[in-house]
Amino acid sequence: MKTRITELFAIEHPIIQGGMHFVGLAELAAAVSNAGGLGIITGLTQRTPEALGKEIARCREMTDMPFGVNLTFLPSVTPPDYPGYVTAIIDGGVKVVETAGNNPQKWMPALKEAGIKVIHKCTSVRHSLKAESIGCDAVSVDGFECGGHPGEDDVPNFILLPRAAEELRIPFVASGGMADGRSLVAALALGAEGMNMGTRFMATKEAPIHENVKQALVAASELDTRLIMRPLRNTERVLANAAVDRLLEKERTLGADLKFTDIIAEVGGVYPKIMQQGDMDAGAWSCGMVAGLIHDVPTCKELIDRIMVEADALIRQRLSRLVAA
């Protein structure tokens, strides 16, 4: 399948693995890329630029195919060494960067000079247009269904994707609710040039996370996610668990007086405990509503091959039959 996204990133299939904290390590990125998609290493999971450089080199040993690095720009009292991370990406020969969070405009000249393609993650049409205006090569349009931060507009992909198609000149991929061949065909029909999957790639053999997390995703339904931090306008979609129940109770009790420090125990530094140790109630962790469509834990190749076979069958058989001769 050829789309503007496969051409832009020199990949076989229009499927991107999104950046995920303590999930997007070299093992997963390489497995996705080897299967014909675009694997992504999560930059800030690596504590230093030097560590990111080593992770890029480790991924390079596992695949000859293109892969990218996610770099999320977050407001912080003590921000990460972003210049160092950008240098590590450039020195590592990475040719695709997925940016997220704050506007990446400050870093665009260095990335562009190095010949790097930039895809920025957006939760609205206006942010997508801004990304286009500053020179991003593509955008990942995140609907309200997505795991992690869906923004504050609450627009689902059935509306957001066609709106993006109406406004954007650069290619975009659909993110949020993407799981299978049906997702891909629907995304293409709505104007996207491919899809970005996060939660679905967590439930794969190569995902370097605890088996408890994978089984929690298989067991979950589409009704098992919750929205937290809405009062702080930092909304995050997470899987329901005991820590999330405690956090939501604090939000209800404190109301307008809620501060980030009130919920730090449920959200601060919890990912290693969950993803590495399998402590499923250690805190809140990002999960999309797409969990309801996850029923197994295949290899990345099995998953991507299955998606492409299903998409091909949908386009050539079911949909073509609906068109009168």
Side-chain angles (χ1 to χ4, degrees):
M1 186 181 288
K2 280 190 177 182
T3 73
R4 292 163 73 194
I5 284 293
T6 63
E7 299 289 292
L8 180 65
F9 297 134
I11 55 179
E12 184 181 358
H13 306 306
I15 298 172
I16 298 173
Q17 166 243 317
M20 294 172 282
H21 204 34
F22 281 89
V23 182
L25 302 181
E27 292 89 345
L28 180 58
V32 172
S33 291
N34 284 333
L38 182 69
I40 302 282
I41 294 170
T42 307
L44 295 187
T45 295
Q46 305 301 319
R47 294 188 178 277
T48 65
E50 292 75 22
L52 176 58
K54 290 177 182 176
E55 194 70 5
I56 292 169
R58 203 162 70 86
C59 192
R60 187 87 60 204
E61 291 174 358
M62 301 181 201
T63 184
D64 294 326
M65 307 302 288
F67 63 89
V69 172
N70 164 280
L71 201 51
T72 300
F73 298 104
L74 299 169
S76 175
V77 177
T78 55
D81 178 9
Y82 285 121
Y85 282 106
V86 170
T87 298
I89 290 167
I90 294 170
D91 289 350
V94 173
K95 292 304 177 187
V96 181
V97 167
E98 177 193 59
T99 54
N102 286 351
N103 188 328
Q105 185 168 9
K106 177 181 176 181
W107 310 101
M108 291 297 289
L111 295 171
K112 287 292 167 187
E113 189 176 330
I116 293 172
K117 305 293 187 186
V118 177
I119 178 168
H120 187 58
K121 186 163 279 197
C122 302
T123 60
S124 68
V125 174
R126 65 184 182 279
H127 292 150
S128 299
L129 287 169
K130 181 64 176 178
E132 180 178 85
S133 74
I134 66 171
C136 290
D137 299 280
V139 290
S140 178
V141 178
D142 250 17
F144 185 53
E145 308 93 323
C146 73
H149 298 278
E152 306 301 323
D153 293 344
D154 300 0
V155 181
N157 268 330
F158 239 72
I159 307 301
L160 189 58
L161 297 176
R163 280 290 296 122
E166 288 176 353
E167 301 281 350
L168 290 169
R169 295 186 304 276
I170 58 174
F172 66 94
V173 297
S175 183
M178 302 293 118
D180 53 30
R182 297 170 299 183
S183 311
L184 178 57
V185 174
L188 295 170
L190 293 171
E193 301 281 341
M195 66 180 182
N196 177 303
M197 298 196 305
T199 304
R200 186 60 189 93
F201 274 124
M202 293 175 71
T204 56
K205 300 285 189 197
E206 295 92 345
I209 57 178
H210 201 282
E211 188 64 24
N212 289 356
V213 181
K214 300 178 187 185
Q215 292 309 315
L217 291 171
V218 172
S221 83
E222 65 275 16
L223 303 176
D224 290 327
T225 68
R226 301 290 182 268
L227 295 171
I228 63 171
M229 297 190 285
R230 298 231 88 175
L232 302 175
R233 291 191 62 78
N234 187 33
T235 302
E236 182 178 4
R237 186 178 296 283
V238 299
L239 192 70
N241 64 19
V244 169
D245 289 343
R246 289 196 304 271
L247 192 158
L248 290 173
E249 182 58 32
K250 289 179 183 179
E251 289 186 358
R252 282 189 290 270
T253 303
L254 295 171
D257 294 327
L258 181 77
K259 298 181 181 61
F260 184 72
T261 50
D262 296 319
I263 58 172
I264 191 71
E266 285 77 33
V267 297
V270 299
Y271 271 74
K273 297 175 188 173
I274 299 159
M275 298 300 166
Q276 295 173 352
Q277 299 168 28
D279 183 352
M280 300 312 296
D281 290 321
W285 56 282
S286 295
C287 176
M289 296 176 83
V290 75
L293 297 175
I294 296 174
H295 309 303
D296 63 353
V297 183
T299 67
C300 289
K301 179 169 173 44
E302 288 167 346
L303 176 60
I304 290 177
D305 285 352
R306 186 167 74 197
I307 287 169
M308 297 312 300
V309 167
E310 184 181 7
D312 187 76
L314 276 170
I315 294 167
R316 293 180 188 273
Q317 297 171 33
R318 182 168 185 269
L319 296 183
S320 65
R321 285 200 305 268
L322 301 180
V323 181

